[in-house]
């Protein structure tokens, strides 16, 4: 093999239903100068056999087995074994477009970037087996794209750039700066500490506006569907703080990045409307609340630093108040909806929040009659066999129809929009 451009690290554990599509997408890259390092942590469902089949057909694939079940340890091991100029991490329930690594490697090598990243799609598998995909952009400000960013602002990167698998990272940048994953056994969210390290230590980066990565959001057992978010996040931020506490204490910009990231993680967790975090996670919840309150009190972070639509202090409730509000909100939604099949139900918004709302309502045995969305390019499509319509259709629907507004930033505007169409306020719930 000629000089290796990209080492693709694939950490796996019991992903037999996904690994074939994933590894095939790596094998078929237009960039041929790659190696594929599969680190399996004891799969028992046929995952290893599928990897071995591909390894027998392609000498670029190496299978390494470990008994230590830790995503971070698997990736660290992969990095230590890698020989490529750049490192990529491909999660084994996802897949990539055939030209992703070529599209990222060319500008990375030409501009000597610490990393180059792209946008991505989230997807989930519908009842008919097709994939419903949602485009996600790292930045909504176009000025971040298609240029080398020298000395990027750590806070901006920490708030906007939330995942690691949509990019490639120069190996020497990682090694020379001691950037590594925490290796907590059985943990998740271990991209959190890696991303913080790359965001504060990078000096030359690039973002591409195209999307090449496809991220699965509906696999049972995945970290994104876990109710242990506070515990996982706590472990990761403790790892970051213990490693970089001197830098965080003396550099106000680094401190702002750190506390903005903590605040965003907390906000996203407490606004995950389909679950309530159990009492065993109260200590971690309260740790976040104390740390964020301290950062606000000392003006390390301001509301203007955050990409959220409410004052940050408004979500810093004591744990008992949080639980009570979650229960009250759940009861309000269910009382407004009535019993399953009592009223027609329409979800306003079919992005990630809309999909969460749909899946939550399905679990509660509700049926959804339609989706509506302000994005015209979604009209007349279907989501899991359910039509996506123009919101103006609300003018003509049965006045007893109930609406679930599912959007992260514009839910109150969408509620007003429905009321302007004549929908009674009491028939509208915000998810």
């Amino acid at each position: 093999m000629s000089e290796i451009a990209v080492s693709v690290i694939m950490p796996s554990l019991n992903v037999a239903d996904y690994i074939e599509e994933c590894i095939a997408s790596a094998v078929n890259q237009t960039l041929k100068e790659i190696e594929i390092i599969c680190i399996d942590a004891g799969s028992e469902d046929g995952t290893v056999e599928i990897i071995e089949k591909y390894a027998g057909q392609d000498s670029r694939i190496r299978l390494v087995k470990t008994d230590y079940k830790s995503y971070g340890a698997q990736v660290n091991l992969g990095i230590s074994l890698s020989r490529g100029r750049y490192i990529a991490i491909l999660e084994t329930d996802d897949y990539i477009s055939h030209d992703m690594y070529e599209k990222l490697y060319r500008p990375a090598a030409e501009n000597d970037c610490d990393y180059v990243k792209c946008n991505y799609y989230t997807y989930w598998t519908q009842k008919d087996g097709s994939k419903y995909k949602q485009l996600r952009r790292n930045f909504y400000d176009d000025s971040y794209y298609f240029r080398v960013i020298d000395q990027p602002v750590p806070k901006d990167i920490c708030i906007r750039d939330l995942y690691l698998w949509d990019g490639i990272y120069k190996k020497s940048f990682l090694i020379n700066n001691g950037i590594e994953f925490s290796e907590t056994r059985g943990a998740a969210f271990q991209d959190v500490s890696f991303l913080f390290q790359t965001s504060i230590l990078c000096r030359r980066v690039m973002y591409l506006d195209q999307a090449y990565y496809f991220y699965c959001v509906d696999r049972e057992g995945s970290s994104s569907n876990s109710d242990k978010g506070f515990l996982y996040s706590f472990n990761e931020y403790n790892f970051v703080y213990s490693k970089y506490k001197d830098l965080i204490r003396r550099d106000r910009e680094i401190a702002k990045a750190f506390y903005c990231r903590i605040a965003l993680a907390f906000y996203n967790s407490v606004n995950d409307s389909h679950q309530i975090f159990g009492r065993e996670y109260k200590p971690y919840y309260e740790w976040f609340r104390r740390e964020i309150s301290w950062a606000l009190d000392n003006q390390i972070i301001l509301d203007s630093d955050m990409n959220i639509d409410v004052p940050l202090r408004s979500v810093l409730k004591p744990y008992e108040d949080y639980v009570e509000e979650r229960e009250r909100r759940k009861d309000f939604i269910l009382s407004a909806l009535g019993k399953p099949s009592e009223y027609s139900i329409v979800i306003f918004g079919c992005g990630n929040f809309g999909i969460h709302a749909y899946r939550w309502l399905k679990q509660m045995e509700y049926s959804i009659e339609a989706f509506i969305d302000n994005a015209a390019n979604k009209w007349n499509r279907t989501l899991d066999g359910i039509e996506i319509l123009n919101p103006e259709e609300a003018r003509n629907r049965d006045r007893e129809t109930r609406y679930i507004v599912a959007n992260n930033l514009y839910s109150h505007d969408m509620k007003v929009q429905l009321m302007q169409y004549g929908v009674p306020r009491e028939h509208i719930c915000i998810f």
Side-chain angles (χ1 to χ4, degrees), residues 233-251:
S233 293
F234 173 79
N235 288 336
E236 287 303 299
Y237 289 116
N238 261 349
F239 173 79
V240 166
Y241 190 76
S242 64
K243 186 171 182 178
Y244 293 101
K245 61 183 177 183
D246 291 339
L247 184 57
I248 291 170
R249 286 172 178 172
R250 72 171 183 265
D251 189 317

Side-chain angles (χ1 to χ4, degrees), residues 343-363:
Y343 302 109
S344 296
I345 297 173
V346 173
I347 296 178
F348 191 176
C350 51
N352 281 345
F353 266 59
I355 291 172
H356 276 305
Y358 172 60
R359 294 172 63 196
W360 182 73
L361 290 168
K362 279 182 64 179
Q363 291 173 3

Side-chain angles (χ1 to χ4, degrees), residues 53 68 126 171 176 204 235 247 291 321 329 365:
K53 179 186 75 172
Y68 192 76
Q126 304 183 93
K171 182 177 179 179
N176 294 343
R204 192 172 174 83
N235 288 336
L247 184 57
E291 290 295 319
D321 292 348
R329 187 170 172 184
E365 299 186 346

Side-chain angles (χ1 to χ4, degrees), residues 234 237-238 262 282-291:
F234 173 79
Y237 289 116
N238 261 349
I262 286 179
K282 176 180 177 179
Y284 312 115
Y285 176 98
E286 294 291 0
W287 178 85
F288 276 95
R289 181 170 165 262
R290 286 193 303 272
E291 290 295 319

Side-chain angles (χ1 to χ4, degrees), residues 6-288:
V6 177
S7 296
V8 184
I9 298 169
M10 296 177 51
S12 61
L13 177 63
N14 294 329
V15 286
D17 290 341
Y18 301 88
I19 186 68
E20 189 140 19
E21 182 174 37
C22 177
I23 198 168
S25 72
V27 166
N28 293 319
Q29 288 293 294
T30 55
L31 180 67
K32 301 304 181 184
E33 296 79 16
I34 65 173
E35 64 175 350
I36 301 168
I37 306 173
C38 301
I39 311 291
D40 189 82
S43 293
E44 299 176 339
D45 67 341
T47 295
V48 170
E49 288 75 12
I50 295 171
I51 296 172
E52 288 175 337
K53 179 186 75 172
Y54 276 86
Q57 300 167 355
D58 194 322
S59 61
R60 297 174 301 171
I61 301 172
R62 184 169 18 156
L63 171 61
V64 179
K65 299 177 183 179
T66 175
D67 294 328
Y68 192 76
K69 291 179 170 55
S70 164
Y71 176 96
Q74 287 171 266
V75 178
N76 283 343
L77 176 58
I79 293 173
S80 71
L81 297 172
S82 66
R83 296 169 293 162
R85 182 175 177 185
Y86 280 82
I87 301 291
I89 298 157
L90 175 54
E91 298 196 345
T92 43
D93 52 358
D94 303 335
Y95 66 98
I96 55 178
S97 66
H98 71 284
D99 57 350
M100 174 171 170
Y101 294 139
E102 181 175 11
K103 294 294 188 183
L104 270 59
Y105 179 73
R106 300 306 178 200
E110 290 169 6
N111 295 284
D112 193 29
C113 291
D114 295 329
Y115 65 75
V116 174
K117 304 185 78 171
C118 61
N119 293 328
Y120 60 96
Y121 293 96
T122 58
Y123 82 88
W124 68 290
T125 304
Q126 304 183 93
K127 288 185 294 187
D128 65 1
S130 64
K131 293 181 172 65
Y132 184 83
K133 301 168 185 174
Q134 294 276 124
L135 175 64
R136 305 298 299 272
R137 302 183 77 205
N138 284 309
F139 298 94
Y140 289 97
D141 181 349
D142 288 338
S143 68
Y144 278 91
Y145 291 107
F146 295 116
R147 68 181 180 90
V148 175
I149 304 174
D150 288 306
Q151 304 291 325
V153 178
K155 182 264 295 183
D156 292 346
I157 301 298
C158 279
I159 287 291
R160 302 287 187 175
D161 183 0
L162 304 179
Y163 299 103
L164 63 85
W165 27 253
D166 53 351
I168 60 173
Y169 305 84
K170 189 195 299 180
K171 182 177 179 179
S172 61
F173 162 63
L174 302 180
I175 300 302
N176 294 343
N177 286 283
I179 297 172
E180 61 185 355
F181 288 77
S182 65
E183 297 192 353
T184 307
R185 186 186 291 271
F189 291 14
Q190 292 185 315
D191 52 354
V192 166
S193 56
F194 179 85
L195 284 166
F196 180 76
Q197 293 174 83
T198 57
S199 68
I200 66 171
L201 298 171
C202 64
R203 293 293 178 266
R204 192 172 174 83
V205 305
M206 182 180 286
Y207 289 87
L208 307 183
D209 198 19
Q210 288 88 0
Y212 301 114
Y213 195 98
F214 297 84
Y215 176 65
C216 176
V217 296
D218 66 338
R219 181 170 72 87
E220 295 296 329
S222 68
S223 60
S224 59
N225 291 320
S226 171
D227 66 350
K228 299 179 181 179
F230 281 125
L231 171 60
Y232 294 149
S233 293
F234 173 79
N235 288 336
E236 287 303 299
Y237 289 116
N238 261 349
F239 173 79
V240 166
Y241 190 76
S242 64
K243 186 171 182 178
Y244 293 101
K245 61 183 177 183
D246 291 339
L247 184 57
I248 291 170
R249 286 172 178 172
R250 72 171 183 265
D251 189 317
R252 196 172 182 86
E253 285 303 307
I254 300 300
K256 181 185 286 288
F258 179 70
Y259 284 104
C260 278
R261 194 69 179 85
I262 286 179
L264 184 63
F266 181 83
Y267 175 80
N268 287 338
S269 293
V270 300
N271 279 280
D272 191 350
S273 302
H274 68 294
Q275 63 184 13
I276 297 174
F277 292 92
R279 178 163 291 278
E280 64 269 31
Y281 303 120
K282 176 180 177 179
Y284 312 115
Y285 176 98
E286 294 291 0
W287 178 85
F288 276 95

Side-chain angles (χ1 to χ4, degrees), residues 372 390-398 403 418 421-423:
I372 56 177
N390 185 332
E392 296 238 2
E393 293 286 334
R395 299 183 188 275
N396 306 317
R397 300 193 79 82
D398 184 340
Y403 294 83
L418 287 173
Y421 295 154
V423 178

